Amino acid sequence: MLRASFDNELHQLQTQVLSLGSEVEENLVKVVDALIERDFVVSRRLIEADKRINARRIQIGLDSLKLIATQQPMARDMRLIAAVLEIVGELERIHDYVKGIAKTSIVLGHAPILPAFVEQLPEMARVTRDMLHLALEAFAKRDAELARQIPEQDDLVDNIFNQLYQETINYVLESPTEVMRANQLEWAIHNLERSADRVTNICEWVVYMVTGEYAEMDSEFETPPMPGSD
Amino acid sequence: MNTTYSSNGEYAIEIKDTNIYYGDFRAVRDITLKLKARKITALIGPSGCGKSTVLRAFNRMNDLVPTSRLEGEVLFRGKNIYEKDVDPVEVRRRIGMVFQKPNPFPKSIYDNVAWGARINGYKGKMDDLVEQSLRQAALWDEVNDKLDQSGLSLSGGQQQRLCIARTIAVKPEIILMDEPASALDPIATLRIEELIQQLKKKYTIIIVTHNMQQAARASDYTAFFNMGEDRAGYLVEYGETDQLFTSPKHELTEQYITGRFG
């Protein structure tokens, strides 16, 4: 078969992306569970894991560049490699947010977490994880239709963000001395919200990879409401 | 041909509903294609797809094959160049050709360039025309001190640029190139490609190439041909080169340019 070895290398590249992605998926949920459960061992482990994620992302990037240099990819092959380069960048950034949440967990120490966070933060993480999972599925199956549907779920993440953001504001208004703690919690939801936005970017590249057309998908987060405003 | 033909404007040449035969064998079928003026169009496709036959149809070079026959029209400045009153020699002056293997005459560098102009009764200063043509072919700096030496004494890449200078010297509007770099090393190839980019400021270039990377980097438009089950070549897809090489519309184009054809 013509280009069997190139096809094999492209396949390996895809597998590397999916493997990297599934670890990022898992860690999104783990890091929030560790925050809620005050499991600092896991939080520290996830901070460490970020270095390995970065190294893997670089390796996938270098492998992609090698394929460009040696195989002169065109059309579908070129679009796949372009998408891989972008997607691994997004995955790395999502894991930076994971690391950010792990650090929050350590900074917060044993201080209690607001009940609304205990209740909703794991849900927010799971929705984000599920979005990422579907985006990677769309990548693996070259399914542009699926990729186009995923960003709608970002509204769910944004809703939880708005609610929890409001909680932190209320908390600061009631207990002004707790402003630092509230701020840490706000960072955590911000990190998850940004992660979901990056999943949308992945979806955009999957659509490009499949169709050759790049179009921004609307998932832009609007500024959270001010307390007292509608 | 005289100058009363109307200009095709945006387009330099157009081939319409054309079939070309060699004896009973139909080599290409139903070709319709309009090529933009002062742009580089690459014709690509697998062996036997008819791309060189189509290229040669643009200046009646197929006439030189005794059994060849063309049905259809090739419109140059609004006039079908296959009409009876058209002089094929004049067509070939206005639509020049550069071949795969450099083929300078066994004459001096100077005479190689001056030859066509002399035959056409050029009245201007020949020295100026030779210099200007060699400059446009990016060869002047390498040969200006040895214009009386044989064209055959030059390297392959230089010989090919000499052939381009010879083509330019008769002031064509279109230059057809049939794999102009396939016999050259990579450096000489890149030099020819750079030269082609310069030439498009003044001329329309149509280039047949087997080298897909060359088509991708050196052309503005690309036409992909394939051979049908009847073994006749046909046009599969034509479009801007950027688009065709990143997101081809036709699956056959995709397979060909990604190297998964056949």
Side-chain angles (χ1 to χ4, degrees), chain B residues 6-14 33-38 75-78 174 204 221 238:
Chain B
S6 65
S7 164
N8 290 32
E10 180 182 6
Y11 298 98
I13 197 160
E14 178 178 357
L33 190 58
K34 282 165 112 174
L35 301 177
K36 292 243 169 100
R38 292 196 179 79
L75 299 170
F76 174 62
R77 293 189 159 267
I174 300 175
T204 300
Y221 293 86
Y238 167 76

Side-chain angles (χ1 to χ4, degrees), chain B residues 79-111:
Chain B
K79 170 88 175 175
N80 180 7
I81 61 171
Y82 283 84
E83 275 177 26
K84 285 202 168 61
D85 62 336
V86 175
D87 173 8
V89 175
E90 177 63 7
V91 168
R92 290 177 204 136
R93 187 189 70 71
R94 306 208 20 200
I95 305 171
M97 192 155 194
V98 175
F99 297 87
Q100 181 171 1
K101 215 167 152 259
N103 55 353
F105 305 127
K107 293 173 181 296
S108 70
I109 292 168
Y110 187 100
D111 286 342

